[in-house]
Amino acid sequence: MFGEISDGIETLTIFHGPDSYITPSWYAIGKVVPTWNYAVVHAYGVLRVVDNASWLRAQLDALTEHNESSFPEPWAVSDAPPEYIERIMAAIVGVEMVITKLLGKWKVSQNQPAQDQVGVISGLKASSLPESEAMAALVETQGCSMLLN
């Protein structure tokens, strides 16, 4: 068992959304510098240790189903030998976070003029940067969608 995890510990979990480098060459205005666009949520809460085999099995099944859903022949926890699953589950500590506060923050070129936002969207869509499509969609939904239609 984890000696450090027990009920009542206050915690912070950070969920990262898309993020991307933004080059000044995508802006129409000349006097700018590079920047970084991002989206993030900070979830504050209290940990709760769950010692319940049914709850843990439901979590394992749901997590596996979620991650296997894109495969042509998804694997399921029930595909493993039952005695193996029992042994593995005995080594897993179930932890739930009871969320007390959520804070979201983003920088998605919303402070830029519309023409620069259009340039950022076009640049991101044409780039091979990781998560560029997802960031382009965020910039687009934050004020530019009418300009692009």
Side-chain angles (χ1 to χ4, degrees):
M1 178 99 177
F2 293 131
E4 300 292 320
I5 295 180
S6 61
D7 283 347
I9 293 176
E10 291 187 20
T11 188
L12 164 66
T13 302
I14 301 172
F15 298 96
H16 295 274
D19 65 290
S20 188
Y21 174 78
I22 306 299
T23 175
S25 65
W26 294 339
Y27 294 145
I29 300 170
K31 294 184 179 182
V32 293
V33 295
T35 191
W36 201 271
N37 278 2
Y38 61 90
V40 66
V41 172
H42 290 186
Y44 296 84
V46 179
L47 292 184
R48 182 174 79 91
V49 176
V50 181
D51 187 17
N52 178 301
S54 297
W55 180 90
L56 183 56
R57 177 59 188 260
Q59 300 305 311
L60 292 174
D61 287 340
L63 181 62
T64 302
E65 183 178 316
H66 171 77
N67 286 289
E68 289 281 332
S69 65
S70 63
F71 292 100
E73 294 183 36
W75 183 86
V77 175
S78 60
D79 293 339
E83 62 278 358
Y84 178 76
I85 297 302
E86 266 185 56
R87 201 168 54 247
I88 285 294
M89 284 182 51
I92 298 173
V93 176
V95 179
E96 181 178 59
M97 181 176 161
V98 179
I99 296 173
T100 57
K101 178 170 66 170
L102 288 173
L103 294 175
K105 183 170 182 162
W106 62 18
K107 181 181 174 303
V108 294
S109 299
Q110 73 271 23
N111 61 324
Q112 297 298 323
Q115 62 191 17
D116 287 348
Q117 289 180 15
V118 169
V120 167
I121 293 164
S122 297
L124 285 167
K125 286 184 175 182
S127 82
S128 60
L129 295 170
E131 301 186 3
S132 60
E133 281 289 327
M135 181 51 66
L138 275 178
V139 176
E140 207 165 23
T141 60
Q142 297 311 309
C144 275
S145 59
M146 291 185 290
L147 296 172
L148 298 174
N149 293 332

